[in-house]
């Protein structure tokens, strides 16, 4: 065999321990392209080229090529045939499984998968059902839960299935969060809200007091029942003209009969737990008392407070010279405890707001007064119409004395009435039959103020997270199922927000309040978050919605290597925030949802 026909190879030579004239130790590495051949029975080496001057990676490529490896350009070595957002739906699904939500919904099957997908979608990307249907194909949620090929009929069938299981689902949540063991205070919070509908053929649609400020729109009412921490447990949908007391009676009946919970303490806002409802609350259908009477906590309306303050009534300003909470009794409320509170901060705020509204009303009335003085507006009727258009704008008409003739208009403030109303600023009085040895005065105030958690849930359901409104469904059962989906999504969001508090602006450890009447305060840590915007490692804090959007950048890619037809699922490299988000919910980052 001649030397020219022998294959070449790369040889690396390393020399160590060389010391130069300055006494510095140096190591040298060299690379050579050599060929080995036999000449007359002897093995000989021939250096074809000195590769030492080439970059290391070029030498590696030459070595690999000579050893028979197939080398391709980097751009052609790997092909990504598909990529779908994964992190946000994976996190929501992982939390749902941690909470046992799939089992809570019902037996495994197509309907349950679709219902779970609707709930997760409402958390991650709230939208109409038709938009959600197309969105499923754009994330790993559709493929992994097997719902990517679902039709609108499939979604509506799943909603009907879920609505039929509402009582069982809520009973399961009640056992978790309202039963005596997890809820030793035996307390439940309830409040009512509303949302408008698009369309006019839903049997539940009616005109009523809009809490969304949507005048002229048909609406529905829905009441949310939570545990003392604001964790959603049940929801009920009512016609849009339903009053607070009727809604309270309905939910109390659910708690007693369907959940089987005895001796509960129901907490509701003023106007919801009226005297008539209190009497009905602990009375059976035949008029006899309930064997396990319910307690309750609510607040008095302004006229009742004014009556307590009148003459030598039990509520006197001197009670609050050195304290802002006092327990009183009144013959008008036999067998009940009255806890009177005065919040100076609230008093100052209401006084300022009243003056602002009075001034704003006078500004609206000024042009009308000028027109009457100049003779451009005459006649008692036309003048009255113009005044009526503006004087009720800020609901301050009761504070103005208006005198109208055919040629004159006189408007003045009723200062005595304004002063009388001002005496109530900052005052509120709570009423409850719960004995002091079971719930002291401070605990009663705290329980009532915990209604803020229900209001927070309404904000999350309506706008912040879940976008319940407006409602587009026409059938009554579909409207109820839509609200149920939003409630269950709120349940999931409640736990996600709690788990991800270290990554968001959420206050992880709000300070305890020695004085329950004082306004709530944020912790120093939460204030620092808002101030510096970054954690000690330099990672930015995010809003809850912003964190979900960041998790969506964790994609699952379908990778195909050159020379093969096989694709492999592979996640992008997670960021430190994405890793921590999954660590906080106690699961590793999954490649697939199932």
């Amino acid at each position: 065999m001649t030397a020219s026909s022998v294959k070449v190879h790369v040889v690396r030579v390393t020399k160590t321990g060389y010391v130069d004239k300055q006494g510095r130790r140096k190591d040298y590495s060299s690379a050579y392209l050599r060929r080995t051949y036999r000449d007359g029975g002897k093995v000989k080496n021939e250096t074809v080229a000195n590769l030492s001057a080439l970059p290391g990676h070029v030498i590696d490529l030459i070595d690999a090529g000579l050893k028979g490896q197939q080398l391709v350009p980097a751009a052609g070595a790997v092909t990504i045939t598909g990529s779908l957002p994964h992190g946000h739906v994976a996190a929501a699904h992982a939390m749902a499984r941690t909470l046992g939500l799939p089992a809570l919904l019902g037996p495994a099957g197509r309907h349950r998968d679709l219902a779970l997908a609707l709930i997760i979608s409402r958390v991650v990307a709230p939208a109409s059902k038709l938009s959600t249907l197309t969105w499923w194909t754009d994330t790993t949620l559709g493929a992994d839960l097997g719902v990517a090929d679902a039709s609108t009929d499939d979604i509506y069938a799943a909603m009907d299935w879920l609505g039929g299981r509402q009582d069982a689902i809520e009973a399961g949540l009640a056992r978790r969060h309202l039963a005596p063991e997890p809820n030793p205070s035996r307390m439940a919070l309830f409040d009512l809200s509303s949302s408008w509908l698009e369309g006019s053929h839903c049997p539940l649609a009616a005109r009523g007091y809009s809490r969304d400020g949507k005048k002229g729109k048909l609406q529905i009412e829905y009441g949310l029942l939570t545990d003392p921490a604001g964790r959603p447990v049940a929801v009920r949908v009512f016609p849009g003209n339903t009053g607070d007391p009727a809604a309270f009676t309905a939910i109390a009946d659910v708690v007693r009969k369907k959940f089987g919970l005895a001796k509960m303490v129901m907490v509701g806002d003023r106007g919801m737990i009226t005297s008539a409802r209190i009497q009905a609350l602990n009375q059976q259908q035949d008029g006899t008392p309930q064997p396990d009477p319910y307690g309750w906590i609510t607040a008095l309306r302004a006229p009742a407070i004014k009556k307590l303050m009148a003459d030598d009534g039990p509520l006197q300003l001197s009670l609050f010279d050195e304290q802002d909470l006092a327990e009183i009794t009144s013959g008008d409320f036999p067998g009940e405890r009255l806890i009177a509170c005065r919040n100076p901060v609230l008093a100052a705020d209401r006084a300022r707001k009243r003056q602002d509204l009075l001034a704003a009303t006078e500004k609206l009335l000024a042009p009308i007064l000028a027109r009457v003085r100049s003779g451009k507006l005459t006649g008692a009727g036309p003048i009255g119409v113009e005044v009526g258009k503006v004087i009720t704008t800020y609901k301050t008409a009761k504070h103005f004395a208006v005198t109208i003739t055919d040629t004159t208009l006189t408007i003045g403030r009723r200062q005595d009435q304004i002063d009388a109303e001002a005496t109530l600023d900052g005052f509120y009085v709570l009423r409850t039959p719960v004995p002091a040895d079971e719930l002291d005065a401070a605990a009663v105030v705290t329980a009532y103020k915990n209604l803020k958690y229900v209001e927070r849930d309404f904000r999350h359901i309506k706008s912040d997270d879940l976008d319940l409104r407006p409602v587009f469904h026409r059938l009554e059962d579909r409207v109820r199922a839509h609200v149920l989906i939003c409630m269950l999504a709120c349940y999931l969001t409640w736990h996600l927000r709690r788990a991800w508090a270290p990554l968001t602006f959420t206050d992880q450890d709000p300070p305890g309040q020695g004085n329950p009447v004082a306004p709530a305060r944020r912790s120093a840590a939460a204030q620092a978050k808002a101030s510096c915007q970054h954690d000690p490692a330099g990672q930015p804090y995010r809003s809850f919605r912003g964190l979900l959007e960041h998790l969506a950048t964790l994609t699952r890619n379908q990778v195909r290597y050159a020379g093969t037809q096989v694709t492999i699922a592979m996640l992008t490299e997670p960021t430190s925030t994405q890793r921590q988000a999954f660590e906080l919910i106690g699961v590793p980052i999954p490649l697939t949802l199932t």
Side-chain angles (χ1 to χ4, degrees), residues 397-445:
K398 61 184 177 181
H399 294 318
F400 288 96
V402 181
T403 304
I404 301 174
T405 69
D406 286 339
T407 57
T408 63
L409 171 62
T410 304
I411 300 176
R413 293 189 181 186
R414 293 175 173 168
Q415 196 59 46
D416 56 341
Q417 184 169 324
I418 295 172
D419 293 340
E421 183 180 270
T423 60
L424 300 179
D425 286 349
F427 278 99
Y428 57 95
V429 179
L430 308 181
R431 58 185 296 206
T432 181
V434 181
D437 58 352
E438 295 182 18
L439 211 62
D440 63 21
V444 171
V445 177

Side-chain angles (χ1 to χ4, degrees), residues 309-391:
M309 298 180 72
D311 300 327
D312 293 326
L315 182 57
Q316 298 298 315
L317 294 178
S318 59
L319 290 172
F320 304 95
D321 289 342
E322 298 181 0
Q323 58 184 357
D324 50 19
L325 182 151
E327 186 165 340
I328 61 176
T329 58
S330 171
D332 294 334
F333 303 95
E336 298 180 19
R337 299 163 59 207
L338 301 179
I339 294 89
C341 308
R342 185 177 188 276
N343 186 333
V345 176
L346 180 61
D349 183 65
R350 287 186 175 173
R352 177 194 54 78
K353 184 176 181 180
R354 182 186 300 106
Q355 291 302 319
D356 290 346
L357 294 176
L358 290 172
T361 303
E362 289 171 337
K363 185 176 180 179
L364 293 176
L365 292 170
I368 302 174
L369 284 165
R371 289 167 60 194
V372 173
R373 292 193 192 101
S374 65
K376 294 180 180 179
L377 179 61
T378 59
I383 294 173
V385 170
E386 293 300 313
V387 171
K389 289 179 181 178
V390 301
I391 200 170

Side-chain angles (χ1 to χ4, degrees), residues 227-251:
D227 71 355
R231 189 185 285 104
V233 171
V235 69
R236 284 297 179 270
V237 180
F238 307 99
N241 56 0
T242 303
D244 289 9
F248 173 76
T249 299
I251 200 66

Side-chain angles (χ1 to χ4, degrees), residues 35-86:
R35 60 183 175 182
T36 303
Y37 61 95
R38 289 182 178 274
D39 186 7
K42 293 182 178 181
V43 177
K44 295 186 176 182
N45 294 309
E46 180 183 3
T47 299
V48 177
N50 187 345
L51 306 179
S52 303
L54 296 177
H57 70 280
V58 175
I59 298 173
D60 292 339
L61 289 173
I62 294 173
D63 189 18
L66 293 174
K67 289 178 179 178
Q69 296 183 21
Q70 183 69 34
L71 303 179
V72 296
V78 173
T79 302
I80 299 177
T81 61
S83 181
L84 292 175
H86 175 69

Side-chain angles (χ1 to χ4, degrees), residues 88 122 545 553 559 592:
H88 52 348
R122 183 59 54 175
R545 184 58 51 190
T553 65
V559 179
T592 62

